[in-house]
Amino acid sequence: MIRVRFEGPGGQVQDVEAPPGARLLEVAQNAGQPLEGTCEGQMACSTCHVILPAVDFSRLPEASEEEEDMLDLAIGAVRTSRLACQIVLNDTLDGLTVQIPSAHRDMQGR
Ligand code: FES
């Protein structure tokens, strides 16, 4: 099993385990994290946007051009942002920390 730590928008920490091959978006949703993932992995929504610590970001395979384009549209995206639907867990990602940005709708009002 691969350990993943979610840090919620309010700073709450949740540790979960998932099998290799699981998609990060589904792991997050199964854990009750507020990631919408509206397009279910079609790279058409960016509501599955997550932020990684630099050290974990560098452990991930590089984002595709399509993913980069979607991230450009994601609200609050930073250099170490990724789309959770494009991240498939494997053994090299054990101990990954994933930050869930505040709910997308709320971000408009900040
Ligand atoms: S779920 Fe829509 S881009 Fe990831």
Side-chain angles (χ1 to χ4, degrees):
M1 296 294 265
I2 295 150
R3 288 166 299 164
V4 180
R5 166 166 293 188
F6 291 112
E7 292 179 358
Q12 63 279 46
V13 169
Q14 184 184 24
D15 289 318
V16 301
E17 292 192 342
R23 275 201 306 172
L24 185 60
L25 174 61
E26 278 137 36
V27 175
Q29 288 177 334
N30 289 342
Q33 292 292 337
L35 274 191
E36 282 181 44
T38 316
C39 78
E40 295 177 348
Q42 304 303 306
M43 276 199 278
C45 72
S46 84
T47 60
C48 63
H49 165 220
V50 295
I51 298 174
L52 297 129
V55 53
D56 284 332
F57 181 81
S58 62
R59 291 160 68 192
L60 294 168
E62 271 187 41
S64 64
E65 237 171 81
E66 289 104 316
E67 183 179 345
E68 297 283 2
D69 288 349
M70 274 325 292
L71 282 168
D72 284 344
L73 305 175
I75 299 162
V78 299
R79 205 173 47 81
T80 58
S81 290
R82 291 297 300 261
L83 296 179
C85 67
Q86 300 304 309
I87 297 174
V88 176
L89 296 178
N90 62 41
D91 288 334
T92 67
L93 298 178
D94 186 43
L96 200 68
T97 295
V98 178
Q99 294 162 351
I100 311 291
S102 341
H104 297 78
R105 288 189 201 90
D106 293 357
M107 292 190 77
Q108 309 282 353
R110 278 206 291 176

